[in-house]
Amino acid sequence: MGEVNLLARLPGVHRNIAKRHEAQSPENIAIARQYGETYFDGPRELGYGGYRYDGRWLPVAEDIVRHFGLKAGDRLLDVGCAKGFLAKDLRQVCPGLEVIGLDVSEYALTRGAPEVRGRLVRGSAEALPFPDGSFSAVVSLNTIHNLARADAVRAVREVERLAPGRGFIQVDSYRTPAQRDVFLSWVLTAKFHDYPEGWLALFREAGYTGDWYWTILE
Ligand SMILES: C[S@@+](CC[C@H](N)C(=O)[O-])C[C@H]1O[C@@H](n2cnc3c(N)ncnc32)[C@H](O)[C@@H]1O
């Protein structure tokens, strides 16, 4: 169990922090937290500004497959899969891998990659509808910080329950007060965030024995 940057090869994105900061009203935060059309495909100030497939997850999929030694017949769950782009790319780089995606957003799941549409299920991270130990690996990227702390603990516990010691969780964090300020000027949906030590305490509380990494805005 440890810190490993499995998103190292994900291309960087441009962020207009000042423009986003102007849009951080309680009304806009409430709209973003609906995870509907506005969040995924509306203006950039209110979310992704267009969540479209461009192949950016392919190198990440390769690194996930290599990290967990995944092969045909293995089962991987992506918690917070959005439109299933990573799920699609995992199947491309590891033919025969059974990939399931779970997300709370009906909008994203029904507009996802056609190749994985039947493999995407609606649900919430703190109560995953699968039996204990039923996956070879579980990943959750940029999702668990969207839960309040108590639910985040439950969500991490769920990752561990489905794939003991074979999880990978990436969440929003910051290592310095300056990074924290940038994060606070950007964030719309996160309900819990902390320095790495705070997250590590949460992981311990959940009995988590998998791997993790941080999304840190500069
Ligand atoms: C920042 S996006 C990350 C999407 C994708 N994993 C990525 O890294 O591009 C956060 C995702 O978490 C989903 N989400 C938010 N709350 C959730 C919950 N309680 N359970 C499952 N998914 C949730 C949203 O619908 C959205 O797809």
Side-chain angles (χ1 to χ4, degrees):
M1 135 171 198
E3 186 170 302
V4 51
N5 185 3
L6 293 184
L7 273 63
R9 294 200 287 149
L10 192 67
V13 293
H14 171 72
R15 291 187 174 91
N16 186 334
I17 305 279
K19 202 164 174 197
R20 169 66 69 86
H21 185 52
E22 281 170 22
Q24 283 174 314
S25 64
E27 296 76 22
N28 286 342
I29 288 171
I31 291 169
R33 285 182 176 160
Q34 291 170 8
Y35 302 108
E37 181 173 7
T38 304
Y39 177 70
F40 286 99
D41 294 315
R44 180 64 167 141
E45 301 86 80
L46 298 182
Y48 276 102
Y51 194 85
R52 298 181 201 95
Y53 183 79
D54 62 2
R56 66 178 46 235
W57 291 101
L58 275 167
V60 175
E62 286 172 358
D63 290 346
I64 290 172
V65 167
R66 194 176 310 116
H67 178 72
F68 288 110
L70 296 169
K71 57 186 185 319
D74 285 345
R75 282 164 53 82
L76 179 140
L77 175 67
D78 179 11
V79 178
C81 64
K83 296 184 183 180
F85 298 154
L86 174 64
K88 165 183 152 76
D89 288 351
L90 281 162
R91 282 174 55 76
Q92 185 171 323
V93 303
C94 186
L97 179 68
E98 199 184 323
V99 184
I100 295 174
L102 176 140
D103 202 285
V104 79
S105 168
E106 184 73 25
Y107 175 83
L109 295 174
T110 53
R111 283 154 186 86
E115 297 86 345
V116 291
R117 235 171 244 175
R119 300 170 183 277
L120 307 183
V121 299
R122 189 158 187 221
S124 194
E126 77 279 6
L128 298 174
F130 306 102
D132 295 1
S134 52
F135 287 92
S136 319
V138 176
V139 301
S140 183
L141 311 180
N142 302 315
T143 295
I144 288 178
H145 49 241
N146 292 320
L147 283 69
R149 193 180 188 284
D151 279 338
V153 173
R154 290 187 191 100
V156 173
R157 211 170 268 147
E158 285 290 80
V159 171
E160 181 72 17
R161 180 178 69 78
L162 298 192
R166 307 259 306 166
F168 175 72
I169 294 174
Q170 175 137 344
V171 284
D172 282 343
S173 189
Y174 28 76
R175 295 187 198 276
T176 66
Q179 288 173 343
R180 185 171 185 276
D181 287 347
V182 174
F183 171 78
L184 291 176
S185 296
W186 178 258
V187 63
L188 286 176
T189 56
K191 292 183 177 165
F192 176 75
H193 47 85
D194 208 336
Y195 289 90
E197 307 82 70
W199 276 112
L200 292 174
L202 187 155
F203 292 163
R204 277 194 297 278
E205 197 176 322
Y208 183 62
T209 65
D211 302 320
W212 63 82
Y213 205 67
W214 324 112
T215 295
I216 294 179
L217 308 186
E218 302 286 353

